[in-house]
Amino acid sequence: MAYTQQQVEALEEAIADGVLTVRDPSGRMVTYQNLDAMERARRRMLDEIAKAAGTARKRTFRIYQRGKGY
């Protein structure tokens, strides 16, 4: 499925408002199970939009170390 920037914006607005049901610009309603599912969907949408545009999204990995390190 080809996602649009408007769908991403609708999902981001729902995340910011703390609601689990999103109505996208085409009128379709989607209810997510939890915030984690919404964030995964948002990442998937952004990845597909970037892929369609021919630009790859950079992935960032953060590694934290506690203690003395040995």
Side-chain angles (χ1 to χ4, degrees):
M1 174 179 185
Y3 294 106
T4 65
Q5 187 61 37
Q6 291 80 15
Q7 289 172 310
V8 174
E9 291 169 2
L11 181 56
E12 289 174 339
E13 185 176 327
I15 290 171
D17 291 342
V19 295
L20 297 177
T21 301
V22 179
R23 181 183 301 270
D24 69 12
S26 66
R28 190 179 80 176
M29 289 184 63
V30 177
T31 301
Y32 293 91
Q33 293 177 344
N34 53 36
L35 179 62
D36 187 50
M38 294 174 84
E39 290 175 344
R40 283 193 314 266
R42 179 184 169 277
R43 280 193 301 271
R44 186 172 51 245
M45 287 177 176
L46 291 173
D47 286 343
E48 288 191 21
I49 289 172
K51 185 177 178 182
T55 58
R57 290 185 60 224
K58 293 182 181 179
R59 292 187 175 217
T60 303
F61 295 95
R62 292 185 175 93
I63 300 173
Y64 297 97
Q65 181 177 351
R66 294 184 67 185
K68 296 181 181 181
Y70 55 86

